[in-house]
Amino acid sequence: MSKKQVVIETAEEKMKTNSKIMVACDLSAHSKEAIRCGAALAMDLNTELLIVNVINQRDVTAMEHAIEKIKAEISNFPVTIGEYLEGLKKQRKDDIDKLLAELDCPKPPHAIRIAVGVPFKRLIDVAKDEGPRFVVIGTKGRSNLADVILGATAEKMFRHCPFPLVSVRLQE
């Protein structure tokens, strides 16, 4: 049995025993709709909602380089990459709390998780750790045809995630 098959079987086992609904949230209008859908499903299924936001590693790397350049010019520059990430995580958690407060539906018990990495990979890692019943993701358009229909992260999630996915679009 290959390593990939073992991981998929483990994910399937977790899905059978765990009834969380995981929502991928990038703080866009699309993710607000995904949270609304995930919350409604969690209420209907009497389960917990897990909202996951990923800070893109590309942005963290760019900030690391910017801080290094600034520190080369200003010897006592007060910001470190750790402080930057902590502030960003707090801001994102606050923003997700605001999105939840704006929902006009009952709110299930929920948890918020902020991760750092390549968005689709970290979302899959979190899903494997948490073993949700399924993952809810908002879709949006970007550049190429697949991205225009789904969004880059959603498209990659559909190709690689070992859990069922629910795609949510904004209503016109």
Side-chain angles (χ1 to χ4, degrees):
M1 187 177 298
S2 74
K3 187 175 180 180
K4 187 174 184 178
Q5 290 170 321
V6 172
V7 170
I8 290 172
E9 288 175 2
T10 301
E12 289 171 350
E13 288 172 9
K14 283 184 179 182
M15 186 175 68
K16 290 176 186 173
T17 60
N18 195 340
S19 60
K20 287 180 187 161
I21 306 299
M22 180 174 139
V23 177
C25 174
D26 66 358
L27 298 169
S28 67
H30 301 275
S31 60
K32 183 177 180 179
E33 195 61 31
I35 290 172
R36 181 187 324 278
C37 177
L41 289 167
M43 289 299 292
D44 288 349
L45 297 171
N46 194 29
T47 190
E48 182 182 346
L49 183 66
L50 173 64
I51 302 168
V52 181
N53 175 271
V54 179
I55 299 169
N56 196 320
Q57 182 61 49
R58 175 191 64 219
D59 299 335
V60 173
T61 301
M63 185 55 79
E64 285 175 327
H65 292 303
I67 290 172
E68 285 174 21
K69 287 183 179 187
I70 293 169
K71 283 188 175 188
E73 299 292 322
I74 303 170
S75 60
N76 60 351
F77 187 69
V79 176
T80 66
I81 194 65
E83 292 168 330
Y84 167 75
L85 280 174
E86 286 308 309
L88 191 55
K89 287 178 181 180
K90 182 185 179 323
Q91 180 62 50
R92 291 195 177 190
K93 184 189 177 307
D94 291 347
D95 290 345
I96 291 169
D97 285 336
K98 286 178 190 171
L99 283 176
L100 282 165
E102 293 171 5
L103 294 181
D104 55 354
C105 64
K107 287 139 195 93
H110 66 276
I112 298 170
R113 187 161 166 189
I114 311 293
V116 177
V118 176
F120 88 94
K121 288 181 181 179
R122 287 299 289 140
L123 289 168
I124 290 171
D125 290 344
V126 171
K128 286 178 181 176
D129 288 346
E130 297 289 338
R133 186 174 287 181
F134 51 83
V135 177
V136 179
I137 191 165
T139 58
K140 60 183 174 184
R142 285 280 171 107
S143 55
N144 65 32
L145 184 57
D147 291 354
V148 167
I149 296 168
L150 296 173
T153 300
E155 190 272 329
K156 289 174 187 167
M157 288 288 291
F158 277 101
R159 286 193 290 135
H160 299 286
C161 187
F163 293 91
L165 291 166
V166 174
S167 170
V168 178
R169 290 185 290 152
L170 281 175
Q171 296 179 350
E172 295 296 326

